Amino acid sequence: MSATAKLDPVVEVFVDALNAQDADRFYGVLAEDATMSDNGVEHNIAPWADAEIFSSNGHLEVDTVEQDGLAFAADFTNSRGGSLPTTWRFVVDNGLISRFETGQA
């Protein structure tokens, strides 16, 4: 079984959309007022996602899944920073991600 098979279904859509570079699906799984942080710094999601994911070919390779599929460790690769070990944590409310936090592991 792949690590993504253990993810919460909403988080799995997030990961699949990120890896497919599918911005519509990525934003479609986020609550309208979703928030996020990267290495403890709050960011507006759209500019962050454009820089870190969509304009730099971001890709996640999930390694381990925790907290009932709402957290995982992954190698995150993009053309800006290469490959980094990262952690990701999610809050899912009413079928949408209301918050995610990522950072270097």
Side-chain angles (χ1 to χ4, degrees), residues 64-85:
T64 58
V65 178
E66 300 174 345
Q67 296 180 350
D68 296 324
L70 294 174
F72 60 82
D75 285 326
F76 179 72
T77 305
N78 70 17
S79 60
R80 290 173 45 132
S83 183
L84 297 169

Side-chain angles (χ1 to χ4, degrees), residues 48-88:
W48 180 88
D50 182 58
E52 298 295 331
I53 299 168
F54 300 115
S55 68
S56 60
N57 298 310
H59 184 83
L60 282 168
E61 187 67 41
V62 176
D63 293 323
T64 58
V65 178
E66 300 174 345
Q67 296 180 350
D68 296 324
L70 294 174
F72 60 82
D75 285 326
F76 179 72
T77 305
N78 70 17
S79 60
R80 290 173 45 132
S83 183
L84 297 169
T86 57
T87 58
W88 297 72

Side-chain angles (χ1 to χ4, degrees), residues 31-50:
E32 188 175 320
D33 59 350
T35 61
M36 62 91 48
S37 70
D38 183 357
N39 287 318
V41 177
E42 294 295 315
H43 290 274
N44 290 324
I45 294 174
W48 180 88
D50 182 58

Side-chain angles (χ1 to χ4, degrees), residues 11 14 29-31 33-38 40-43 45 70 88-93 96-102:
V11 174
F14 176 96
V29 78
L30 298 176
D33 59 350
T35 61
M36 62 91 48
S37 70
D38 183 357
V41 177
E42 294 295 315
H43 290 274
I45 294 174
L70 294 174
W88 297 72
R89 298 193 187 289
F90 296 83
V91 177
V92 175
D93 293 311
L96 295 172
I97 295 168
S98 60
R99 177 156 180 87
F100 69 93
E101 299 172 351
T102 187

